[in-house]
Amino acid sequence: MKWRSMDDRQLDEAIKREIEKELSLIPVPDVDEEWKKFLLRLEELESENKKDRDGSPG
């Protein structure tokens, strides 16, 4: 096998390339889109919370 003829540095680089190749196959969700949804929901909850506080007697 070709791994046996490699020194430690070459072996590290080859392993790194293999890992990067495998990771590139994993689908990643659109983080920006998820973040926007989260912020919109947070705004909704904050506005509901404010309405509840303003509507109730202090």
Side-chain angles (χ1 to χ4, degrees):
M1 198 170 174
K2 67 180 181 175
W3 304 106
R4 292 184 188 269
S5 63
M6 294 182 173
D7 65 25
D8 286 346
R9 188 184 58 75
Q10 291 172 321
L11 192 55
D12 286 347
E13 287 298 315
I15 291 170
K16 183 179 173 188
R17 279 194 303 275
E18 290 296 315
I19 290 171
E20 287 173 348
K21 193 178 357 174
E22 290 295 319
L23 287 176
S24 71
L25 300 175
I26 300 171
V28 178
D30 184 359
V31 174
D32 286 340
E33 193 60 36
E34 292 299 315
W35 185 244
K36 287 176 192 169
K37 288 179 191 173
F38 171 76
L39 290 176
L40 283 172
R41 182 65 182 135
L42 185 61
E43 284 178 21
E44 289 173 10
L45 291 172
E46 286 176 340
S47 103
E48 287 174 16
N49 191 21
K50 187 176 186 313
K51 284 180 196 168
D52 287 348
R53 277 187 281 141
D54 292 346
S56 62

